[in-house]
Amino acid sequence: YSVGFLLTMVCLALGKTNVNIFPILCAVIQIIGIWIYHGSISAIISVNIMTGIVFCLSVSIYYLRNRNR
């Protein structure tokens, strides 16, 4: 999460305000994932890890595609 939020802050500092959709979307995905897969603590940890990876990758791709604009 830290790398994803760091990249989000970099994008916001550069004026790329559309990046705000990724933390919101990943938070909703995380809530739904925990709601569905809350059978054990390992399932919750897996949901958190996968959501963090998706968040970091999505912000990274957004930054790389829009860095010259």
Side-chain angles (χ1 to χ4, degrees):
Y1 289 111
S2 298
V3 175
F5 279 113
L6 181 65
L7 286 171
T8 302
M9 293 301 134
V10 168
C11 289
L12 288 173
L14 295 173
K16 295 171 179 38
T17 56
N18 291 335
V19 74
N20 284 335
I21 191 70
F22 297 115
I24 295 168
L25 184 63
C26 286
V28 170
I29 290 171
Q30 187 175 26
I31 290 168
I32 292 170
I34 290 173
W35 188 348
I36 294 171
Y37 301 107
H38 65 276
S40 67
I41 192 69
S42 63
I44 294 172
I45 292 171
S46 296
V47 168
N48 287 337
I49 290 172
M50 293 307 292
T51 306
I53 290 170
V54 168
F55 175 55
C56 192
L57 286 175
S58 61
V59 174
S60 298
I61 291 169
Y62 177 83
Y63 173 75
L64 291 174
R65 293 188 75 196
N66 296 305
R67 64 180 168 193
N68 293 329
R69 295 182 188 171

